[in-house]
């Protein structure tokens, strides 16, 4: 049985196990929503690859392309773990344990709306701070100081991949947070700007089709899914 997918170790246990592991870990953890797009960016950029394969990183199988690649190459995975559900579960845990979070990303309007929605859903959740995701990654001291001052234990970064991963990699060491996770378009969904695919489409692995139907510009990005699968299968045969 293969143990990795194109050099990546994919999280093989259940979502509940993941949440438990992350909550009790003494180390800083970077949770990566492993979909073909993110993992392909890692294959092209050494800094991303080194971080994705670091011992403090956990790649979750978030995307049907990864689940199919894993099955075809006999890499063990339990099934898809959607990043947005991991985010939701961590927030729920944080609410009950009085831990605080920082939300970074999306437009000012979206992140503000997302915070308001989260406060309704999790009334006692401590949102220690938030900021929009439109800034220069190499020149954002004020934001870094704001995150440090917030003392948040987790930071969720919704700036699309791989921008969000670049931010996390650049600042993970100097920020006091323990959990770092890039969550793509999740703030848009929480804010109510976008909807998640209906359950039947999610269960058939067709979330990508729903997203393309709502945001047709995504069609250009779909080619990465079959390319990743083919690459994984070929590499497994060598
Ligand atoms: N975004 C951002 N800063 C940028 C570009 C995008 O904060 O410089 C935000 C954008 O507003 C949206 C999210 O990133 O909320 C886009 O996520 P997308 O759905 O493209 O991410 P994916 O899930 O496809 O990685």
């Amino acid at each position: 049985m293969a143990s990795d997918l194109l050099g990546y170790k994919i999280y093989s246990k259940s979502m509940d196990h993941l949440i438990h592991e992350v909550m009790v870990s003494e180390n800083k953890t970077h949770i990566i929503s492993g979909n073909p797009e993110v993992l392909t960016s890692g294959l092209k950029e050494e800094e991303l690859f080194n971080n994705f394969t670091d011992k403090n990183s956990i790649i979750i199988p978030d995307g049907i392309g990864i689940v199919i690649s894993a099955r075809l190459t006999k890499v063990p995975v339990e099934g898809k773990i959607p990043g947005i559900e991991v985010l939701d579960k961590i927030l729920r845990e944080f609410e009950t344990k009085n831990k605080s979070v920082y939300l970074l990303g999306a437009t000012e309007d979206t992140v503000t709306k997302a915070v308001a929605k989260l406060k309704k859903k999790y009334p006692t959740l401590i949102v220690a701070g938030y900021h929009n995701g439109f800034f220069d990654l190499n020149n954002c001291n004020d934001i870094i100081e704001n995150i440090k001052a917030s003392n948040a234990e987790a930071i969720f970064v919704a700036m699309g991949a791989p921008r969000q991963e670049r931010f996390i990699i650049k600042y993970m060491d100097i920020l006091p947070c323990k959990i770092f996770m890039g969550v793509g378009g999740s703030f848009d969904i929480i804010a109510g700007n976008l909807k998640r695919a209906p359950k039947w489409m999610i269960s058939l692995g067709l979330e990508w089709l729903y997203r393309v139907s709502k945001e047709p510009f995504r069609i250009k990005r779909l080619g990465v899914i079959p390319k990743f699968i083919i690459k994984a299968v070929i590499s497994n045969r060598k």
Side-chain angles (χ1 to χ4, degrees):
M1 192 173 276
S3 64
D4 66 58
L5 196 58
L6 293 170
Y8 296 117
K9 204 163 175 291
I10 309 293
Y11 192 75
S12 62
K13 298 173 206 150
S14 68
M15 174 148 55
D16 286 344
H17 204 283
L18 168 79
I19 305 297
H20 175 73
E21 248 178 64
V22 169
M23 291 299 297
V24 299
S25 173
E26 300 277 310
N27 301 323
K28 290 191 177 201
T29 308
H30 180 192
I31 305 173
I32 298 137
S33 281
N35 59 46
E37 214 171 356
V38 175
L39 298 189
T40 299
S41 66
L43 295 177
K44 293 180 180 158
E45 215 176 298
E46 199 181 351
E47 203 182 358
L48 294 180
F49 187 82
N50 290 342
N51 175 275
F52 293 175
T53 51
D54 185 83
K55 62 173 182 9
N56 289 337
S57 294
I58 298 179
I59 303 175
I60 56 169
D62 180 7
I64 191 68
I66 298 303
V67 175
I68 292 175
S69 307
R71 302 255 190 267
L72 291 175
T73 56
K74 307 233 169 357
V75 168
V77 291
E78 248 193 40
K80 182 173 160 168
I81 301 183
I84 191 161
E85 290 178 24
V86 171
L87 164 64
D88 191 60
K89 289 201 178 219
I90 293 178
L91 293 178
R92 193 176 300 240
E93 287 286 320
F94 266 46
E95 187 192 29
T96 58
K97 297 190 167 65
N98 287 322
K99 291 173 183 273
S100 59
V101 295
Y102 195 102
L103 304 187
L104 177 65
T107 61
E108 188 64 27
D109 181 53
T110 301
V111 69
T112 311
K113 264 195 211 155
V115 170
K117 287 271 168 86
L118 286 177
K119 288 201 167 150
K120 268 200 183 143
K121 188 169 180 190
Y122 303 112
T124 58
L125 175 72
I126 307 164
V127 179
Y130 64 92
H131 196 281
N132 70 65
F134 292 85
F135 57 88
D136 180 357
L137 289 190
N138 298 313
N139 189 11
C140 55
N141 256 345
D142 49 338
I143 300 172
I144 297 303
E145 289 309 317
N146 186 252
I147 301 168
K148 280 187 186 165
S150 78
N151 261 324
E153 284 205 36
I155 180 164
F156 295 98
V157 189
M159 305 196 293
R163 178 176 156 83
Q164 58 199 21
E165 284 74 25
R166 289 202 182 107
F167 174 87
I168 292 172
I169 293 169
K170 195 167 169 63
Y171 297 109
M172 196 167 163
D173 285 345
I174 61 166
L175 289 175
C177 316
K178 273 187 59 201
I179 301 174
F180 297 77
M181 182 174 182
V183 291
S186 298
F187 294 177
D188 291 281
I189 293 176
I190 294 169
N193 302 346
L194 283 175
K195 279 204 165 73
R196 254 195 107 187
K199 283 208 173 83
W200 68 268
M201 284 186 103
I202 295 175
S203 64
L204 288 178
L206 293 176
E207 200 158 9
W208 57 271
L209 183 61
Y210 180 83
R211 294 191 79 183
V212 168
S213 74
K214 296 291 166 197
E215 298 173 304
F217 66 86
R218 287 187 181 275
I219 201 149
K220 285 196 288 220
R221 288 161 53 176
L222 278 186
V224 74
I225 301 178
K227 277 191 198 150
F228 186 90
I229 297 173
I230 292 166
K231 212 178 217 176
V233 170
I234 292 174
S235 144
N236 187 245
R237 290 210 172 139
K238 279 183 187 160

